[in-house]
Amino acid sequence: SYFASDTMAMATTSISTSHGRYVRAKKARGVRRGRWRTYAEIGGLNVDPGTAREAMRWAAETAGHVAELLVRTHANVSSGVADDAALLVWTAGAAAALQGAKTGAEKDRGMELRLPERYDPEASAAFFARKPVLVLTRAMTLGMEAAGFLLQLWIDENVARDRSETTERLRAKQCRELAVRCGPTYVKVCQALSIRSDLLRPAYLEAFAGLQDDCPPFPTPLARAIMDKELREAGQGTVEQVFSTISDEPIAAASLGQVYRATLKETGKAVAVKVQRPDVLESICLDLHLLRMIVPIWREKRRINTDLVGLVDEWALRFIDELNYSKEAANATAFSAAIKQRELNAVTVAEVIEPYSTKRMLTTEWINGKRLDRSTEPDVPKLCGAALNCYLLMLLDTGVLHSDPHPGNLMRTTDGRLCILDWGLVTEVTEEQQYAIINYIVHLVSRNYESVPRDLVKLGFIPEGKEKQTEDEGVVGTLSSVFRQLAAGGGAKKLNVEQVASEMRGLVDSYGNIFRIPSYFAYILRTFTILEGIGLQRDPDYTIVQECYPYLARRLFTDDDPRAKAALQEMLYQHGRFNAKRLRRLAGEFQSFTETTMSSKELAEASKKELILSPAVKELLSILLDTKGNYLQEMLLDELVAVVDAFGKESVLRVGRSPAGQLAAGMLQRFEATGPLQSLFAPILLPGQVAASFVKFDERDEAALETGQAMYELFEPTILQALETDDIQKLSRDRLERFLEGVPELSEYVPGLNAIVLRFNQKLFSRLWQRATGSVTEVQYYRTPTE
């Protein structure tokens, strides 16, 4: 508007003066190679050519935006006037940027302007404090870019009222282009949203999906120059000396780099070569610096408990680490060793070729396959399950979580395995955090929502000083309602949004804002949000909470840590009573985990052998019949002893109700009346007293019988199917012997079975003796979880 007003003459005079200085300075230098030093002289400064080049580049970019904006928004402004206005902005911006650079350099006594390779918010702030025009230019650029798009959305919604599919597709395409123009930081955000079918409309999902591995590439000659430089510094020669062939164009381009297919000269092996985009560090750090400036204002205005600056720093730390391909190589190699040790054969990673990998260049074996979300093979659902189990294993076992699981990084290989790519973004989880998360998952899958508030305190979701508020019935009731809806499946699309919003508003009105997101949990939340999005694409009712069951079963059955034992007790004991149905489900999910983590080749070989005992059943038996014993085994033995004891007492009670039993009871009462003469009748009285003690049948014995009946009903079909009979009472000794002879694998479990029988007899005899002597005690696992 200024340049189109009555003050145009004054503006033109300023432009002419600046342009004249520009032309005279350039002619004075005369040579092209000195142009940046020449431009520096426009501002009357004496700074190094590198700083001048940087300042001019940003000033020119801003000037271009100004010219484009003037022509686009003001019809009465000619392109010539717009160019002159751009030149003025360019000159003034360059001078200001150079002056800022010079002042900063003088202040730091010649210290070189450089960003650290490891994210450091203070160093980053100091770096950009010396570049105020650069920061302002970027903020203005982002503001102008976003404002235009948001204005178009507002017009569609409120003026044109155009909600057609065609318009939505156009806006989605524009939004994708906006993210690409804004740079890698915003491309990353769109990548995370691209699989959230419960949060975004289909047009946006389709538009953002291409950003996962199809970002605009940078020129191949520049990529080759970077490869040459990296290989020379690693002492490996040049691209031509290392590779016999390399693709002319990138196979895929992502937000931080692009990938070429090549063949190693030395071995003839096909490899993937990832090359980092040039100047990406400064671009990302600048966006993160702006975010750190904005989020405190947002936090104060919205009265948010979450440490937003901490979240930005946590994300920034991982994000900048992605730029170090040496760390990515180390992460991939460590995970490969971890899954081999745990026999997770359904999952693999690309082998790193270390001699040809550096900080800005990564060479790995070439993986033949197809993106998981685009594959039509019948084993894709199994691989989705393997993906979740694998990520739970990373989160709760290895403690190093791959935090970028978008579909572009999950591939189905030609041999039917899941390959996880791109290990640049990972987050570490401590052991204390792991067990806190295990308890949280246990409470969710067992629908014990009343305990969730305590879990949130342990996980750090409740700020200090507000822990007691989570014990209030109002908080517990509201959170139980919300988590019950979340656990039902279907993602945000299936939520009763109005009800959840109303309940949370009521919570805030009554107790204030008592929640926050701990910084360490941000990437965990992001990772499993993405995994849930992948599941929802295949199943609209997908529930990630219930899909955690297989890994949870395996972890609780095999972990001897007291915290895991307490979690197992909480799963199997409900209101102090053993829950046989949960045991049955845990056993089934344990088998599911084993089968899910086996490769397609292993499953095919197992089916060819026609084994009566599947690998999953064999692994479960190895735990239940372990000769050394384990916590699960002890729990089940104690429950079995309680069942046998209660059954014996019931049998005695049944006999006592018969005519003969009535007569025996009368005789016993007469003998007890003899007082001092009882010792004479001890040989007769003792058996009766023992029997009488069994007649004291209480509610705990009833619970034990119910447990025994439930366990029998749950496991009977499996037993009958294995024995090929429809009635266990019709099973002959010959049939049982033939079954045992036909299952040679059972022989390896005989020592464990003998040990189990011995321990059972010891426990049963001890219980009967204690009952006879009046000192019997009940085992209460649920009430003493660490014993």
Side-chain angles (χ1 to χ4, degrees):
S1 298
Y2 170 78
F3 292 110
S5 69
D6 294 335
T7 57
M8 181 64 72
M10 183 173 62
T12 304
T13 302
S14 299
I15 291 171
S16 299
T17 302
S18 299
H19 186 261
R21 292 186 64 187
Y22 160 72
V23 172
R24 289 194 300 274
K26 187 171 183 180
K27 286 182 178 179
R29 299 297 301 178
V31 291
R32 184 175 178 82
R33 74 179 64 179
R35 64 189 183 282
W36 298 117
R37 192 177 299 279
T38 302
Y39 295 168
E41 293 174 0
I42 294 174
L45 303 175
N46 183 20
V47 297
D48 65 278
T51 304
R53 178 171 60 251
E54 185 179 15
M56 295 303 107
R57 178 166 60 84
W58 284 100
E61 184 176 331
T62 305
H65 281 300
V66 169
E68 182 183 353
L69 188 64
L70 283 170
V71 173
R72 190 169 62 221
T73 58
H74 300 282
N76 60 335
V77 177
S78 67
S79 59
V81 172
D83 289 342
D84 285 343
L87 179 61
L88 176 63
V89 172
W90 177 80
T91 305
L98 290 168
Q99 182 63 55
K102 181 182 180 184
T103 303
E106 291 174 350
K107 182 178 179 181
D108 293 337
R109 298 180 180 178
M111 183 173 59
E112 184 181 1
L113 294 174
R114 174 176 290 182
L115 284 167
E117 292 183 355
R118 179 78 171 171
Y119 177 70
D120 183 340
E122 293 182 359
S124 182
F127 178 86
F128 290 111
R130 296 192 291 266
K131 301 190 175 188
V133 175
L134 178 63
V135 176
L136 181 60
T137 300
R138 180 60 172 166
M140 291 174 60
T141 301
L142 293 175
M144 287 190 294
E145 291 283 5
F149 176 73
L150 294 174
L151 179 60
Q152 288 173 327
L153 289 180
W154 185 87
I155 292 173
D156 290 343
E157 186 72 21
N158 299 282
V159 180
R161 300 190 183 281
D162 183 0
R163 300 180 182 180
S164 65
E165 183 178 347
T166 302
T167 301
E168 188 173 75
R169 287 184 177 278
L170 175 62
R171 297 292 176 254
K173 181 181 178 182
Q174 291 172 341
C175 189
R176 170 187 164 157
E177 293 170 351
L178 173 63
V180 172
R181 290 198 303 272
C182 288
T185 306
Y186 302 93
V187 170
K188 280 287 183 184
V189 173
C190 290
Q191 285 177 347
L193 291 172
S194 67
I195 45 84
R196 291 303 312 208
S197 58
D198 58 328
L199 299 178
L200 294 183
R201 297 178 66 84
Y204 286 87
L205 295 174
E206 183 179 347
F208 291 171
L211 291 173
Q212 291 163 1
D213 55 7
D214 191 24
C215 292
F218 62 93
T220 292
L222 182 54
R224 292 285 292 266
I226 294 173
M227 284 188 268
D228 271 333
K229 180 176 181 295
E230 295 298 308
L231 288 172
R232 282 198 184 96
E233 290 181 357
Q236 300 297 334
T238 63
V239 171
E240 290 75 14
Q241 292 172 329
V242 173
F243 305 114
S244 58
T245 63
I246 187 168
S247 57
D248 295 329
E249 296 297 330
I251 303 300
S255 55
L256 301 182
Q258 57 196 40
V259 179
Y260 294 83
R261 180 167 183 169
T263 306
L264 290 176
K265 258 188 180 181
E266 185 179 0
T267 62
K269 187 175 185 177
V271 294
V273 183
K274 182 162 72 169
V275 187
Q276 190 176 116
R277 290 180 180 272
D279 302 325
V280 72
L281 176 63
E282 182 174 312
S283 172
I284 293 172
C285 285
L286 179 55
D287 287 340
L288 294 171
H289 177 66
L290 288 172
L291 280 174
R292 283 187 107 252
M293 294 171 64
I294 294 170
V295 294
I297 302 172
W298 179 263
R299 181 189 184 194
E300 183 177 353
K301 188 174 182 179
R302 293 287 180 173
R303 293 185 301 171
I304 299 172
N305 285 320
T306 301
D307 180 8
L308 296 182
V309 172
L311 285 178
V312 171
D313 287 343
E314 183 73 18
W315 182 42
L317 184 64
R318 309 301 175 191
F319 198 178
I320 299 302
D321 279 352
E322 277 195 86
L323 302 177
N324 188 340
Y325 288 170
S326 296
K327 288 187 177 181
E328 179 177 345
N331 293 334
T333 302
F335 177 73
S336 178
I339 58 175
K340 287 179 181 177
Q341 180 184 357
R342 292 161 178 80
E343 298 182 351
L344 194 65
N345 299 322
V347 182
T348 186
V349 294
E351 178 189 356
V352 176
I353 313 299
E354 292 186 6
Y356 310 120
S357 297
T358 66
K359 288 183 178 180
R360 300 180 64 199
M361 172 181 171
L362 179 64
T363 305
T364 64
E365 67 170 320
W366 183 265
I367 298 294
N368 292 308
K370 197 171 185 179
R371 274 178 45 159
L372 187 64
D373 63 328
R374 295 176 182 171
S375 176
T376 57
E377 296 295 330
D379 60 356
V380 168
K382 168 186 171 294
L383 292 179
C384 287
L388 180 59
N389 285 325
C390 178
Y391 276 86
L392 284 169
L393 183 139
M394 285 187 264
L395 173 66
L396 302 175
D397 188 354
T398 67
V400 178
L401 178 67
H402 179 275
S403 301
D404 199 14
H406 64 73
N409 288 337
L410 300 177
M411 178 181 289
R412 182 196 179 275
T413 64
T414 51
D415 62 352
R417 293 192 293 172
L418 173 71
C419 182
I420 302 177
L421 305 173
D422 194 354
W423 284 85
L425 185 61
V426 299
T427 190
E428 297 179 359
V429 187
T430 67
E431 187 177 276
E432 288 297 324
Q433 292 166 350
Q434 288 176 340
Y435 282 105
I437 294 170
I438 286 175
N439 280 323
Y440 172 63
I441 296 174
V442 164
H443 293 144
L444 288 181
V445 299
S446 61
R447 295 181 173 85
N448 182 9
Y449 303 118
E450 292 77 10
S451 298
V452 168
R454 292 196 299 273
D455 296 327
L456 296 179
V457 172
K458 292 179 181 178
L459 289 169
F461 281 86
I462 309 298
E464 292 183 8
K466 298 189 177 183
E467 296 89 348
K468 289 187 177 181
Q469 296 181 17
T470 61
E471 300 174 5
D472 191 279
E473 291 183 4
V475 175
V476 173
T478 299
L479 291 180
S480 296
S481 173
V482 171
F483 278 102
R484 189 174 290 108
Q485 289 193 57
L486 290 171
K493 189 179 291 185
K494 294 293 182 71
L495 280 178
N496 185 337
V497 178
E498 291 185 4
Q499 179 184 342
V500 171
S502 175
E503 290 177 343
M504 295 307 293
R505 278 197 301 270
L507 206 62
V508 172
D509 291 341
S510 301
Y511 303 95
N513 192 353
I514 61 173
F515 299 107
R516 68 179 180 185
I517 300 177
S519 57
Y520 82 91
F521 208 84
Y523 271 107
I524 298 173
L525 192 63
R526 176 182 183 273
T527 297
F528 285 90
T529 297
I530 292 173
L531 288 173
E532 184 184 37
I534 296 173
L536 287 169
Q537 285 182 328
R538 293 192 167 272
D539 179 8
D541 296 320
Y542 180 83
T543 165
I544 194 169
V545 171
Q546 296 304 318
E547 292 296 323
C548 292
Y549 236 122
Y551 174 82
L552 187 65
R554 180 183 178 85
R555 181 61 179 269
L556 296 182
F557 279 4
T558 57
D559 193 340
D560 283 333
D561 188 280
R563 292 165 292 189
K565 293 178 181 179
L568 178 60
Q569 292 159 14
E570 197 159 354
M571 279 291 292
L572 294 181
Y573 287 84
Q574 191 174 18
H575 306 300
R577 300 179 70 169
F578 189 81
N579 191 321
K581 289 184 179 180
R582 284 188 184 170
L583 173 64
R584 181 70 179 89
R585 181 171 183 185
L586 282 172
E589 298 292 355
F590 180 94
Q591 297 181 53
S592 172
F593 178 89
T594 304
E595 292 166 358
T596 300
T597 54
M598 293 175 65
S599 67
S600 299
K601 183 179 180 181
E602 289 176 316
L603 288 173
E605 290 176 352
S607 63
K608 287 179 182 178
K609 293 179 181 179
E610 297 183 354
L611 299 173
I612 295 179
L613 297 181
S614 67
V617 173
K618 292 179 67 176
E619 187 173 8
L620 183 59
L621 284 175
S622 67
I623 295 173
L624 294 176
L625 301 178
D626 187 358
T627 55
K628 297 178 182 179
N630 52 58
Y631 193 64
L632 175 63
Q633 192 182 99
E634 291 300 312
M635 289 177 68
L636 295 179
L637 279 177
D638 281 319
E639 286 301 322
L640 185 58
V641 166
V643 170
V644 172
D645 181 31
F647 181 76
K649 290 167 69 175
E650 186 191 41
S651 300
V652 171
L653 186 61
R654 193 182 303 118
V655 171
R657 290 171 182 158
S658 65
Q662 299 274 338
L663 177 61
M667 293 178 63
L668 183 59
Q669 290 177 358
R670 294 192 195 97
F671 279 125
E672 289 178 341
T674 57
L677 300 178
Q678 284 187 23
S679 59
L680 298 176
F681 300 100
I684 301 173
L685 291 176
L686 186 57
Q689 289 173 335
V690 172
S693 68
F694 280 88
V695 180
K696 296 175 182 177
F697 198 81
D698 56 28
E699 60 180 13
R700 291 174 296 185
D701 296 309
E702 292 179 1
L705 286 180
E706 289 176 6
T707 296
Q709 182 67 24
M711 292 178 67
Y712 178 77
E713 291 175 355
L714 287 170
F715 290 97
E716 181 186 24
T718 304
I719 297 172
L720 295 179
Q721 183 180 3
L723 296 175
E724 298 179 357
T725 182
D726 58 356
D727 189 349
I728 196 71
Q729 296 180 359
K730 297 179 182 178
L731 184 65
S732 65
R733 183 182 181 87
D734 292 340
R735 175 70 192 94
L736 181 59
E737 290 178 351
R738 286 197 303 273
F739 169 77
L740 295 175
E741 290 174 358
V743 191
E745 308 108 274
L746 284 178
S747 60
E748 63 183 276
Y749 302 111
V750 171
L753 185 60
N754 290 335
I756 288 286
V757 171
L758 179 60
R759 282 202 288 273
F760 171 77
N761 288 336
Q762 291 173 341
K763 286 177 176 287
L764 181 61
F765 178 79
S766 175
R767 186 181 182 94
L768 294 178
W769 177 256
Q770 290 174 354
R771 186 172 297 283
T773 59
S775 60
V776 66
T777 57
E778 299 293 335
V779 178
Q780 297 291 338
Y781 283 105
Y782 187 78
R783 296 175 185 171
T784 56
T786 57
E787 292 182 2

